[in-house]
Amino acid sequence: MHTSRRPAAQVRGQPTGPVPVRSQVMRIDGVYGAVGRFCVRFRWLVVLVWILGAIAAATQLPALSNVTQGNNEKFLPASAPSAQAAVLAAPFGTGNSEPIPVVAATSSGSLTPADIAALDHLQARLATVAGIARVINAGRSPDGEAEQLVAMARLAGSGNPDYAKDLIDGLRAQIVAAHLPAGLSAHVTGDLAVQVDQQNEAGGTSNRVQALSVLFVILLLVCIFRSVTLAITTVLPAALSVTIAGPLVAEAAAHGLQVSPIAQLLLIVLVIGAGTDYGLFLVFRVREELRAREHGTGAELHPGTTGTARSVLADLARPRPPAAAAIVEAVTRVGESISASAATVIAAMLTLLLASFSFYSDLAWPFAIAVGVILLAGLTLLPALLSVRLSLLAVKRSLFQALFGRPKLLPWSIQGTGRTGVWGRVAGRIVRHPIPTLVAGVVFFGGLSFAVLGYTSGGFGGTTSPPAGSDSAVGAALLAKHFPQSSANPTSLIFRFPRPVWADAAPLAKATAELRATGLFTQVAGALNPVGGTSLTAAQYQGLYSELGPPGKLPATPTAADLHGGLIPVGAYDLYRVTANFVSPDGRTVQFSTGLHADPASTAAMNEIPAVRAATTSIQKSVGATASGVAGEAPALKDISSISTSDLKHIIPVAILAIGILLALVLRSLVAPLYLIASVGVSYLAALGLSVLVFIKAGGSGGLVFFMPFLMFIFLLALGEDYNILVMTRIREEAHRLPLRQAVAKAVGVTGTTVTSAGLVLAGSFIVLTFAAGSGSGASQIRDIGLGLALGILMDTFLVRTLLVPSTVVLLGRWNWWPSRLRQDQAADHDGVPVGEVAAATAGDVP
């Protein structure tokens, strides 16, 4: 074995000069070497523990698809004006209970007496479902063809993550068990039913994403490795990580964490993509070490090794199966890079905890948990699986020798060819022409960045529409047909009065008139005109209250006694009974249902909200109310827009600082983190600009989904630094033995394929989202974020990490490592080739 010439004091672990940074590196290598030896030695135990963990997570913890929340309004903080308005409107069913509409309609004319009797029976059955406080009859449609029942569901925390699903499934089961007459059908709809149907759809989508992602990664790895078994071995830790991370996040969701459907899909892609990336980091290094051992060189004792670290590397040099030694050496060399890469992703994700918008802050722990699982799998399960696989190949090799009398060489899919590849040639050109490379890259990315000026946001409301073909979609259609007032998407204005309006209804009349006079609304419905047409005067309203009492306690079908022997017209009775939807049971909270001039989900409607809020506050003072608020989709969109923009400004600097500190610690430099983070910024702006060109300019979209710029930055910052760390740590490793230009050439040559392969895996995983999203609710948002991130990752890996960063390293020279001093060792490189010979040729690629 080739060893370097060095003073005897250093060989004994007593360096003659100060090398504190190098000693720290070798101590860290010692830790990862110990991990590698353990996983190789006890490989079957490690594999068994991971399999049992995956089974336990899948069977003992809830499924992630059952706890997702698709309405972005639910993620608003309590301090948001629309959230405060929702609290003010709690007496109308948004507090500890939620109305669940059940619409029954006949397909053959008006409801018959038999139909009505069956619906009365159904009402009693629905009330027996666990979680239902009561079921009220909201009345018959004007055309007489439908009837609406409203199940009031208790939504106090039950600790059951499947509570909403069990509730809706229970209601639907009772409908089936009621055996309604032929031609009569009933359907459960409303926000809660839509949410459950979205979860069911998300569960199917997530399964498609997971299956397609794994299939895509395996096919890509087969093309890279020319080996099906090695491809499966590499992706298996990521697949098991999904099985474990998803239920862990779902368990956290059962204790208050909110998870959006898009977060669920991104988590699957992140685990499979990033997990496979970390696997590639290790597998490529194992192949490199195997090739070295096949040629008889093996692991070398690096100059500067002292103390415990030297004993660790000496242990690697003891006689042992070449495959086992190669795996341990690979874990020793890239373990720190994988850990640092995972740490940067976790740090970037945890900065989301600072967000006011819980859509962002609730992404932090799911992604951090997932990346933590990936890291453990990459450092333990993958080495064990590789050891198992290579052990089986060794047995096959021995059998070949026994049968044919000569050893079977390791296939090139295991050890690599060692030939100079594309990135070896590219690396040679980079170190010879760093300035043109850097200038061309800056001009290209700068040009794309200008397209960011055309950015507009959209998609604030989330996915609140029911999935096509679902039971809630059918119910929503019947609601729109037979009860148009109930199916509207109104903007609600809520007023709180110091005393019940039943005693003095004059403020109701005054508020109604002033709201109509603002010109901000297409229609205004309230306690005096609950159906938007026929109106009651203030005196009539007070008189009906004195005769009938609170409207919320009146039966849907009045008796003669209820009508006071015919003194109260049936029309007036029905009109007064409906006013319960606009006046709280205590008579002090009143809401008005208004229509905006623009679609409430549009940007135009969102922009109207400041004027609506100002008018509401003015009217509050005019009518003597003590509090007021504006609730609905458009007000929530306005709050989401403001809070999202604020979070973007506050979190990005913190994320940059956190990643910068980690890079400084890993690279032992204060200079390198500056241009590495700047390279991410350039890549991010170019990717966002390209997304603007693709989706808005070419695709005709009204805007990019509102969280796309935010998540693109966080993901590209975190995942881009993964590749930075791999490339820069290899450059630093080679720079201990080679002049910097030659170190850059060799590092890019041996890591170029690793980085681009990893980028293809990760980008391809995100592209899978664009195909698996389907055409259901939220599909456009999923496609935007999936394709946008894929474009950013591809540009980052093929251009930034492999071209711009290396050229910058060459230009800065020794200043890359300031303030530490990188000592070049007078030794051979790790393949046993003298320095002078390495200078004469560019390092080979490892395809």
Side-chain angles (χ1 to χ4, degrees), residues 186-212:
H187 305 272
V188 183
T189 187
D191 290 344
L192 202 63
V194 169
Q195 177 182 323
V196 169
D197 288 341
Q198 284 178 342
Q199 289 173 351
N200 293 335
E201 184 189 47
T205 301
S206 66
N207 291 335
R208 288 197 304 273
V209 170
Q210 183 171 340
L212 289 176

Side-chain angles (χ1 to χ4, degrees), residues 105-300:
T106 178
S107 58
S108 55
S110 300
L111 294 170
T112 65
D115 293 335
I116 296 172
L119 292 176
D120 289 340
H121 178 63
L122 175 62
Q123 181 177 354
R125 296 186 67 97
L126 295 178
T128 64
V129 175
I132 298 298
R134 69 184 191 279
V135 179
I136 61 175
N137 189 318
R140 201 164 301 151
S141 63
D143 58 14
E145 297 178 0
E147 190 167 298
Q148 182 181 176
L149 305 176
V150 180
M152 303 303 297
R154 290 185 293 268
L155 295 181
S158 65
N160 175 17
D162 297 330
Y163 179 70
K165 184 177 186 301
D166 292 344
L167 190 68
I168 298 301
D169 288 348
L171 292 173
R172 288 170 174 164
Q174 289 297 333
I175 292 175
V176 173
H179 300 293
L180 298 177
L184 180 65
S185 62
H187 305 272
V188 183
T189 187
D191 290 344
L192 202 63
V194 169
Q195 177 182 323
V196 169
D197 288 341
Q198 284 178 342
Q199 289 173 351
N200 293 335
E201 184 189 47
T205 301
S206 66
N207 291 335
R208 288 197 304 273
V209 170
Q210 183 171 340
L212 289 176
S213 296
V214 170
L215 179 62
F216 169 82
V217 171
I218 290 176
L219 292 176
L220 182 59
L221 293 182
V222 168
C223 294
I224 295 172
F225 294 142
R226 304 295 195 273
S227 169
V228 175
T229 58
L230 184 56
I232 294 175
T233 301
T234 305
V235 80
L236 188 57
L240 283 179
S241 295
V242 172
T243 305
I244 294 174
L248 287 176
V249 173
E251 181 65 22
H255 292 82
L257 181 71
Q258 296 189 83
V259 182
S260 68
I262 291 180
Q264 176 194 4
L265 299 179
L266 288 177
L267 184 143
I268 294 172
V269 172
L270 175 66
V271 171
I272 293 176
T276 306
D277 280 4
Y278 297 158
L280 286 171
F281 292 178
L282 182 63
V283 170
F284 273 106
R285 191 59 184 254
V286 169
R287 298 173 75 197
E288 188 178 342
E289 297 297 332
L290 279 173
R291 188 176 67 251
R293 281 163 175 75
E294 189 71 17
H295 290 86
T297 56
E300 293 296 318

Side-chain angles (χ1 to χ4, degrees), residues 317-341:
R318 294 173 187 166
R320 63 167 65 233
I327 294 172
V328 175
E329 174 72 2
V331 175
T332 303
R333 295 298 173 210
V334 301
E336 183 185 7
S337 297
I338 293 175
S339 299
S341 298

Side-chain angles (χ1 to χ4, degrees), residues 67 75 248-259 358 361-366 369:
V67 297
F75 293 96
L248 287 176
V249 173
E251 181 65 22
H255 292 82
L257 181 71
Q258 296 189 83
V259 182
S358 62
S361 60
D362 285 342
L363 293 176
W365 287 117
I369 291 171

Side-chain angles (χ1 to χ4, degrees), residues 395-685:
V395 171
K396 179 180 178 181
R397 191 181 188 189
S398 299
L399 290 175
F400 187 91
Q401 183 175 3
L403 293 173
F404 300 101
R406 58 186 177 85
K408 180 179 176 62
L409 295 177
L410 285 174
W412 77 271
S413 63
I414 306 301
Q415 64 182 21
T417 64
R419 296 191 303 268
T420 298
V422 173
W423 289 111
R425 295 189 293 272
V426 170
R429 294 186 176 92
I430 291 174
V431 298
R432 289 194 300 270
H433 308 290
I435 294 179
T437 302
L438 185 60
V439 171
V442 170
V443 170
F444 174 76
F445 283 99
L448 286 177
S449 299
F450 275 108
V452 173
L453 299 176
Y455 167 77
T456 56
S457 59
F460 285 96
T463 56
T464 56
S465 59
S470 64
D471 184 63
S472 59
V474 176
L478 291 176
L479 202 63
K481 177 182 179 181
H482 299 288
F483 302 92
Q485 190 70 23
S486 299
S487 66
N489 184 8
T491 298
S492 299
L493 312 182
I494 303 98
F495 297 91
R496 182 71 174 170
F497 290 91
R499 56 186 178 274
V501 294
W502 297 317
D504 180 12
L508 295 179
K510 184 176 183 182
T512 303
E514 292 185 3
L515 287 172
R516 288 173 172 169
T518 62
L520 295 172
F521 311 106
T522 57
Q523 60 91 18
V524 177
L528 299 183
N529 60 329
V531 295
T534 305
S535 300
L536 297 171
T537 64
Q540 288 173 330
Y541 182 79
Q542 293 176 217
L544 287 170
Y545 173 76
S546 64
E547 294 291 338
L548 301 174
K553 297 182 178 180
L554 298 178
T557 304
T559 63
D562 292 328
L563 299 176
H564 291 257
L567 295 177
I568 299 176
V570 175
Y573 175 92
D574 289 337
L575 196 63
Y576 176 71
R577 186 177 64 85
V578 178
T579 64
N581 295 323
F582 297 92
V583 180
S584 64
D586 65 359
R588 298 175 60 192
T589 303
V590 175
Q591 73 172 348
F592 291 87
S593 179
T594 66
L596 301 177
H597 290 285
D599 180 356
S602 67
T603 302
M606 179 184 72
N607 293 335
E608 292 178 12
I609 294 304
V612 172
R613 283 175 171 161
T616 301
T617 302
S618 175
I619 294 173
Q620 170 201 331
K621 297 175 181 178
S622 174
V623 299
T626 57
S628 65
V630 182
E633 185 173 9
L637 301 190
K638 182 62 179 177
D639 292 342
I640 290 172
S641 176
S642 300
I643 294 173
S644 179
T645 302
S646 176
D647 283 341
L648 189 67
K649 294 177 180 178
H650 288 93
I651 291 178
I652 283 181
V654 177
I656 290 175
L657 179 62
I659 299 298
I661 292 174
L662 285 173
L663 288 175
L665 294 174
V666 172
L667 301 177
R668 288 87 176 172
S669 169
L670 295 179
V671 174
L674 298 179
Y675 64 78
L676 293 179
I677 290 177
S679 70
V680 171
V682 170
S683 176
Y684 163 71
L685 291 175

Side-chain angles (χ1 to χ4, degrees), residues 568-818:
I568 299 176
V570 175
Y573 175 92
D574 289 337
L575 196 63
Y576 176 71
R577 186 177 64 85
V578 178
T579 64
N581 295 323
F582 297 92
V583 180
S584 64
D586 65 359
R588 298 175 60 192
T589 303
V590 175
Q591 73 172 348
F592 291 87
S593 179
T594 66
L596 301 177
H597 290 285
D599 180 356
S602 67
T603 302
M606 179 184 72
N607 293 335
E608 292 178 12
I609 294 304
V612 172
R613 283 175 171 161
T616 301
T617 302
S618 175
I619 294 173
Q620 170 201 331
K621 297 175 181 178
S622 174
V623 299
T626 57
S628 65
V630 182
E633 185 173 9
L637 301 190
K638 182 62 179 177
D639 292 342
I640 290 172
S641 176
S642 300
I643 294 173
S644 179
T645 302
S646 176
D647 283 341
L648 189 67
K649 294 177 180 178
H650 288 93
I651 291 178
I652 283 181
V654 177
I656 290 175
L657 179 62
I659 299 298
I661 292 174
L662 285 173
L663 288 175
L665 294 174
V666 172
L667 301 177
R668 288 87 176 172
S669 169
L670 295 179
V671 174
L674 298 179
Y675 64 78
L676 293 179
I677 290 177
S679 70
V680 171
V682 170
S683 176
Y684 163 71
L685 291 175
L688 185 58
L690 185 57
S691 297
V692 169
L693 294 176
V694 171
F695 294 116
I696 298 180
K697 302 302 181 182
S701 171
L704 300 179
V705 57
F706 76 95
F707 54 79
M708 186 172 176
F710 192 93
L711 290 187
M712 279 185 68
F713 183 84
I714 294 296
F715 270 80
L716 291 179
L717 176 66
L719 299 175
E721 298 305 349
D722 280 5
Y723 307 140
N724 271 335
I725 289 172
L726 178 69
V727 174
M728 292 298 292
T729 53
R730 189 59 185 263
I731 290 175
R732 187 181 183 93
E733 178 184 334
E734 299 299 337
H736 279 290
R737 299 182 295 278
L738 300 170
L740 184 61
R741 286 178 181 264
Q742 296 162 21
V744 171
K746 180 167 185 179
V748 173
V750 296
T751 63
T753 299
T754 306
V755 171
T756 52
S757 298
L760 284 172
V761 166
L762 191 58
S765 300
F766 281 113
I767 289 176
V768 166
L769 283 176
T770 66
F771 293 98
S775 58
S777 57
S780 62
Q781 296 182 2
I782 296 173
R783 284 194 292 270
D784 284 3
I785 193 68
L787 188 56
L789 284 170
L791 292 174
I793 290 168
L794 288 175
M795 289 194 298
D796 195 79
T797 53
F798 277 90
L799 300 176
V800 177
R801 303 302 143 222
T802 47
L803 298 178
L804 301 189
V805 170
S807 61
T808 304
V809 173
V810 172
L811 291 175
L812 289 177
R814 62 186 178 88
W815 290 104
N816 283 288
W817 321 114
W818 186 88

